Amino acid sequence: MSTDAAVADRFGDGVALVTGAGSGLGAAMAAHLAGHGAHVVVTDVDTERASAVADALVAAGGRAEAHHLDVADGEQVDDLFARTWAAHGAVDLVVSNAGIESGDRTWDMTPTQWRKVQAVNTDGAFHCARSAVPRMASQGRPGVLAVVASTGAVTSLPYQSAYVASKHAALALVECLDLEVRAAGVPVQVSALLPNWVRTRIFDDVRRSGVPSDPDARATFLRMSESIQAQGMEPDEAAALLLDAVARGEFWCFTDPDRTAQLFDERARTLVGLRRPERPGWSAALAT
């Protein structure tokens, strides 16, 4: 089955809610879903961004609505999910996509900076799972919870401790959740989305609040920001690949299976061999 057919067949007549959908990968996933018939609930902490995306989808002939949502706030998430289920009766797909970056040395970050990354990237996934799974379990038709963990979930990188720790935790959450859902016989598919580099504004958003204070961290961060724009996959292509895998019922969903397999292999050899962490090849190249 083609990408278009798989997504349209699975979600075309249903409702999808995407967090962090005001730009980048989230906006691309919202557009892909709306383009194949889904009614998309576009959410973002930036209300203007969410509204702009939803308006564009409607103008293109799709079905969409925009809502403000800070995924770090569990009460906000539960309230919006309650209102969405009340309005639509069921939600076929929730994509926990909202995420933020960091780029400083661990000891240069404030506790507030650290907690902000964990609150969005990890707690946000938990809040979505906590609010979506019980509702999907009782809505009368199967649902899907897809969590964007990124390839950062299986790597170790300097100057990225907050982000990498949050993504390792998010992946662990998804793996445990999948075991729990299957043990309980709940009709909810759980999927882990591990995109490799995608051309988004995630680094630009960090830059607005300042760049790393350490010169080496700052240089690496800026090179990563430039490299993701030069070498990253276009968001619409990444969205299509990820959503196709979700629509097929996959747990592991990738944008670059070959590169991700290399990262998995590097991680496995590090753990089995009790080796000290080494920078992935692309990370080492950025720092030179």
Coordinates of all heavy atoms in Angstrom, one line a residue, residues 129-189:
A129 N -0.1 10.8 26.9 CA -0.4 9.4 27.1 C -1.5 9.3 28.2 O -2.5 8.5 28.0 CB 0.8 8.7 27.5
R130 N -1.3 10.0 29.3 CA -2.2 9.9 30.4 C -3.6 10.3 30.0 O -4.6 9.8 30.5 CB -1.7 10.7 31.6 CG -2.6 10.8 32.8 CD -2.0 11.6 33.9 NE -3.0 11.8 35.0 CZ -3.9 12.7 35.1 NH1 -4.1 13.5 34.1 NH2 -4.7 12.7 36.2
S131 N -3.7 11.3 29.2 CA -5.0 11.9 28.8 C -5.7 11.1 27.6 O -6.9 11.0 27.5 CB -4.9 13.4 28.4 OG -4.6 14.1 29.6
A132 N -4.8 10.6 26.7 CA -5.3 10.0 25.5 C -5.7 8.5 25.7 O -6.8 8.1 25.2 CB -4.3 10.1 24.4
V133 N -4.9 7.7 26.3 CA -5.1 6.3 26.4 C -6.4 5.9 27.0 O -7.2 5.1 26.4 CB -3.9 5.6 27.1 CG1 -4.2 4.1 27.3 CG2 -2.6 5.7 26.2
P134 N -6.8 6.4 28.2 CA -8.1 6.0 28.7 C -9.3 6.4 27.8 O -10.3 5.6 27.7 CB -8.2 6.7 30.1 CG -6.8 7.1 30.4 CD -6.1 7.3 29.1
R135 N -9.2 7.5 27.2 CA -10.3 8.0 26.3 C -10.3 7.1 25.0 O -11.4 6.7 24.6 CB -10.1 9.4 25.9 CG -10.3 10.4 27.1 CD -10.2 11.8 26.8 NE -10.7 12.7 27.9 CZ -9.9 13.2 28.8 NH1 -8.6 12.9 28.8 NH2 -10.4 13.9 29.8
M136 N -9.2 6.8 24.5 CA -9.2 5.9 23.3 C -9.7 4.5 23.7 O -10.3 3.8 22.9 CB -7.7 5.8 22.7 CG -7.3 7.0 22.0 SD -5.6 6.9 21.4 CE -5.5 8.4 20.4
A137 N -9.4 4.1 24.9 CA -9.8 2.7 25.3 C -11.3 2.6 25.4 O -11.8 1.4 25.2 CB -9.2 2.4 26.7
S138 N -12.0 3.7 25.6 CA -13.5 3.6 25.7 C -14.2 4.3 24.6 O -15.5 4.5 24.7 CB -13.9 4.2 27.1 OG -13.5 5.5 27.2
Q139 N -13.6 4.6 23.5 CA -14.3 5.4 22.5 C -15.0 4.6 21.5 O -15.7 5.1 20.6 CB -13.3 6.4 21.8 CG -12.2 5.7 20.9 CD -11.2 6.7 20.4 OE1 -11.2 7.9 20.7 NE2 -10.4 6.2 19.5
G140 N -14.8 3.3 21.5 CA -15.6 2.4 20.6 C -14.8 2.1 19.3 O -15.3 1.3 18.5
R141 N -13.7 2.6 19.1 CA -12.8 2.2 18.0 C -11.4 2.5 18.3 O -11.1 3.3 19.2 CB -13.2 3.0 16.7 CG -13.0 4.5 16.7 CD -13.4 5.1 15.3 NE -13.0 6.4 15.1 CZ -13.8 7.5 15.0 NH1 -15.1 7.3 15.2 NH2 -13.4 8.7 14.8
P142 N -10.5 1.7 17.7 CA -9.1 1.8 18.1 C -8.5 3.2 17.9 O -8.9 4.0 17.0 CB -8.4 0.8 17.1 CG -9.5 -0.1 16.7 CD -10.7 0.7 16.7
G143 N -7.5 3.5 18.7 CA -6.8 4.8 18.6 C -5.3 4.6 18.5 O -4.8 3.5 18.7
V144 N -4.6 5.6 18.2 CA -3.1 5.6 18.0 C -2.5 6.7 18.8 O -3.0 7.9 18.6 CB -2.7 5.6 16.6 CG1 -1.1 5.5 16.5 CG2 -3.3 4.5 15.7
L145 N -1.5 6.4 19.6 CA -0.7 7.5 20.3 C 0.7 7.3 19.7 O 1.4 6.3 19.9 CB -0.7 7.3 21.8 CG 0.3 8.3 22.5 CD1 -0.2 9.7 22.4 CD2 0.4 7.9 24.0
A146 N 1.2 8.4 19.0 CA 2.5 8.4 18.4 C 3.3 9.5 19.1 O 2.9 10.6 19.2 CB 2.4 8.7 16.9
V147 N 4.5 9.1 19.6 CA 5.3 10.0 20.3 C 6.6 10.3 19.6 O 7.3 9.3 19.2 CB 5.7 9.5 21.7 CG1 6.6 10.4 22.5 CG2 4.4 9.3 22.6
V148 N 7.0 11.5 19.3 CA 8.2 11.9 18.6 C 9.3 11.8 19.6 O 9.4 12.7 20.5 CB 8.1 13.2 17.9 CG1 9.4 13.6 17.3 CG2 7.0 13.2 16.9
A149 N 10.2 10.8 19.5 CA 11.3 10.7 20.4 C 12.6 11.2 19.8 O 13.5 11.7 20.5 CB 11.5 9.3 20.8
S150 N 12.8 11.0 18.4 CA 14.0 11.5 17.7 C 15.1 10.5 17.9 O 15.2 9.7 18.8 CB 14.4 12.9 18.0 OG 15.5 12.9 19.0
T151 N 16.1 10.5 16.9 CA 17.3 9.7 17.1 C 18.1 10.1 18.2 O 19.0 9.4 18.7 CB 18.1 9.7 15.8 OG1 18.4 11.1 15.4 CG2 17.4 9.0 14.6
G152 N 17.9 11.3 18.8 CA 18.5 11.7 20.0 C 18.2 10.7 21.2 O 19.0 10.7 22.2
A153 N 17.2 9.9 21.0 CA 16.8 8.9 22.1 C 17.8 7.8 22.2 O 17.7 7.0 23.1 CB 15.4 8.4 21.8
V154 N 18.7 7.6 21.2 CA 19.6 6.5 21.2 C 21.0 6.9 21.0 O 21.9 6.1 20.7 CB 19.2 5.4 20.1 CG1 17.9 4.8 20.4 CG2 19.2 6.0 18.7
T155 N 21.3 8.2 21.3 CA 22.7 8.7 21.1 C 23.1 9.4 22.4 O 22.3 9.7 23.3 CB 22.7 9.7 20.0 OG1 21.8 10.8 20.2 CG2 22.4 9.0 18.7
S156 N 24.4 9.7 22.5 CA 24.9 10.6 23.5 C 25.7 11.7 22.9 O 26.5 11.4 22.0 CB 25.9 9.8 24.4 OG 25.2 8.7 25.1
L157 N 25.4 12.9 23.2 CA 26.0 14.1 22.5 C 26.5 15.1 23.6 O 25.8 15.4 24.6 CB 25.0 14.8 21.6 CG 24.5 13.9 20.5 CD1 23.3 14.6 19.8 CD2 25.6 13.7 19.4
P158 N 27.7 15.7 23.3 CA 28.1 16.8 24.2 C 27.2 18.0 24.0 O 26.7 18.3 22.9 CB 29.5 17.1 23.8 CG 29.6 16.6 22.3 CD 28.6 15.5 22.2
Y159 N 27.0 18.8 25.0 CA 26.3 20.1 25.0 C 24.8 19.8 24.7 O 24.1 20.8 24.3 CB 26.9 21.0 24.0 CG 28.4 21.1 24.0 CD1 29.2 20.9 22.9 CD2 29.1 21.4 25.2 CE1 30.5 20.9 22.9 CE2 30.4 21.4 25.3 CZ 31.2 21.2 24.1 OH 32.6 21.2 24.2
Q160 N 24.3 18.6 24.8 CA 22.9 18.3 24.5 C 22.3 17.5 25.7 O 21.3 16.8 25.4 CB 22.9 17.5 23.2 CG 23.2 18.3 22.0 CD 22.1 19.2 21.5 OE1 21.0 18.7 21.2 NE2 22.3 20.5 21.6
S161 N 22.8 17.6 26.9 CA 22.4 16.7 27.9 C 20.9 16.8 28.2 O 20.2 15.8 28.4 CB 23.2 16.9 29.2 OG 23.0 18.2 29.7
A162 N 20.4 18.0 28.3 CA 19.0 18.2 28.6 C 18.1 17.6 27.5 O 17.2 16.9 27.8 CB 18.7 19.7 28.8
Y163 N 18.4 17.9 26.3 CA 17.6 17.4 25.2 C 17.7 15.9 25.1 O 16.7 15.2 25.0 CB 18.1 18.0 23.9 CG 17.3 17.5 22.6 CD1 16.1 18.1 22.3 CD2 17.8 16.6 21.8 CE1 15.4 17.6 21.2 CE2 17.1 16.1 20.7 CZ 15.9 16.7 20.4 OH 15.2 16.2 19.3
V164 N 19.0 15.3 25.1 CA 19.2 13.9 24.9 C 18.5 13.1 26.1 O 17.9 12.1 25.9 CB 20.7 13.6 24.8 CG1 20.9 12.1 24.9 CG2 21.2 14.1 23.4
A165 N 18.7 13.6 27.3 CA 18.1 13.0 28.5 C 16.6 12.9 28.3 O 15.9 11.9 28.6 CB 18.5 13.7 29.7
S166 N 16.0 14.0 27.8 CA 14.5 14.1 27.7 C 14.1 13.1 26.6 O 13.0 12.5 26.8 CB 14.1 15.5 27.3 OG 14.4 15.8 26.0
K167 N 14.8 12.9 25.6 CA 14.4 12.0 24.5 C 14.6 10.6 24.8 O 13.9 9.7 24.5 CB 15.1 12.4 23.2 CG 14.7 13.7 22.6 CD 13.2 13.8 22.3 CE 12.7 15.0 21.7 NZ 11.3 15.0 21.4
H168 N 15.7 10.3 25.6 CA 15.9 8.9 26.1 C 14.7 8.6 27.0 O 14.2 7.5 26.9 CB 17.2 8.8 26.9 CG 18.4 8.6 26.1 ND1 19.1 7.4 26.1 CD2 19.1 9.3 25.2 CE1 20.1 7.4 25.3 NE2 20.1 8.6 24.7
A169 N 14.3 9.5 27.9 CA 13.2 9.3 28.8 C 11.9 9.1 28.0 O 11.1 8.2 28.4 CB 13.1 10.4 29.8
A170 N 11.7 9.9 27.0 CA 10.5 9.8 26.2 C 10.4 8.5 25.5 O 9.3 7.8 25.5 CB 10.4 10.9 25.2
L171 N 11.5 8.0 25.0 CA 11.5 6.7 24.3 C 11.2 5.6 25.4 O 10.4 4.6 25.1 CB 12.8 6.4 23.6 CG 12.9 5.0 22.9 CD1 11.7 4.9 21.9 CD2 14.2 4.9 22.2
A172 N 11.8 5.7 26.5 CA 11.6 4.7 27.6 C 10.1 4.7 28.0 O 9.5 3.6 28.2 CB 12.4 4.9 28.8
L173 N 9.5 5.8 28.1 CA 8.1 6.0 28.4 C 7.2 5.2 27.4 O 6.3 4.5 27.7 CB 7.7 7.4 28.5 CG 6.3 7.8 28.8 CD1 6.2 9.2 29.5 CD2 5.3 7.8 27.6
V174 N 7.6 5.4 26.1 CA 6.8 4.8 25.0 C 6.9 3.3 25.0 O 5.9 2.6 24.8 CB 7.2 5.4 23.6 CG1 6.4 4.7 22.5 CG2 7.0 6.9 23.6
E175 N 8.1 2.8 25.3 CA 8.3 1.4 25.3 C 7.6 0.7 26.5 O 6.9 -0.3 26.3 CB 9.8 1.1 25.4 CG 10.6 1.4 24.2 CD 12.1 1.1 24.3 OE1 12.8 1.9 25.1 OE2 12.6 0.1 23.8
C176 N 7.6 1.4 27.6 CA 6.9 0.8 28.8 C 5.4 0.9 28.5 O 4.6 0.0 28.9 CB 7.2 1.6 30.0 SG 9.0 1.4 30.6
L177 N 4.9 2.0 28.0 CA 3.5 2.2 27.7 C 3.0 1.1 26.7 O 1.9 0.6 26.9 CB 3.3 3.6 27.1 CG 1.8 3.9 26.7 CD1 0.9 3.9 27.9 CD2 1.8 5.3 26.0
D178 N 3.8 0.8 25.7 CA 3.4 -0.2 24.8 C 3.2 -1.6 25.5 O 2.2 -2.3 25.2 CB 4.4 -0.3 23.7 CG 4.0 -1.4 22.6 OD1 3.0 -1.2 22.0 OD2 4.8 -2.3 22.4
L179 N 4.1 -1.9 26.4 CA 4.0 -3.1 27.2 C 2.7 -3.1 28.0 O 2.0 -4.1 28.1 CB 5.2 -3.3 28.0 CG 6.5 -3.6 27.3 CD1 7.7 -3.6 28.3 CD2 6.5 -5.0 26.7
E180 N 2.4 -2.0 28.6 CA 1.2 -1.9 29.5 C -0.1 -2.0 28.7 O -1.0 -2.6 29.1 CB 1.3 -0.5 30.2 CG 2.4 -0.4 31.2 CD 2.7 1.0 31.7 OE1 2.0 1.9 31.2 OE2 3.5 1.1 32.6
V181 N -0.1 -1.3 27.5 CA -1.3 -1.3 26.7 C -1.6 -2.7 26.2 O -2.7 -3.2 26.2 CB -1.1 -0.4 25.5 CG1 -2.1 -0.7 24.4 CG2 -1.2 1.1 25.9
R182 N -0.5 -3.5 25.8 CA -0.7 -4.8 25.3 C -1.1 -5.8 26.5 O -2.0 -6.6 26.3 CB 0.5 -5.3 24.6 CG 0.7 -4.7 23.2 CD 1.8 -5.3 22.5 NE 3.1 -4.9 23.0 CZ 4.2 -5.6 23.0 NH1 4.2 -6.9 22.6 NH2 5.4 -5.2 23.5
A183 N -0.5 -5.5 27.7 CA -0.9 -6.4 28.8 C -2.3 -6.2 29.2 O -3.0 -7.1 29.7 CB 0.1 -6.0 30.0
A184 N -2.8 -5.0 29.1 CA -4.2 -4.7 29.5 C -5.2 -5.0 28.4 O -6.4 -4.9 28.6 CB -4.3 -3.2 29.8
G185 N -4.7 -5.3 27.2 CA -5.6 -5.6 26.1 C -6.3 -4.3 25.6 O -7.5 -4.4 25.0
V186 N -5.7 -3.2 25.8 CA -6.4 -1.9 25.4 C -6.2 -1.7 23.9 O -5.1 -1.9 23.3 CB -5.7 -0.7 26.1 CG1 -6.3 0.6 25.7 CG2 -6.0 -0.9 27.6
P187 N -7.3 -1.3 23.1 CA -7.2 -1.2 21.7 C -6.5 0.1 21.3 O -7.1 1.0 20.6 CB -8.6 -1.2 21.3 CG -9.4 -0.6 22.4 CD -8.6 -1.1 23.6
V188 N -5.3 0.3 21.7 CA -4.5 1.5 21.4 C -3.2 1.1 20.9 O -2.4 0.4 21.5 CB -4.3 2.4 22.6 CG1 -3.5 3.7 22.3 CG2 -5.7 2.9 23.2
Q189 N -2.9 1.6 19.7 CA -1.5 1.4 19.1 C -0.6 2.5 19.6 O -0.9 3.6 19.7 CB -1.6 1.5 17.6 CG -0.2 1.4 16.9 CD -0.3 1.8 15.4 OE1 -1.3 1.4 14.7 NE2 0.6 2.5 14.9

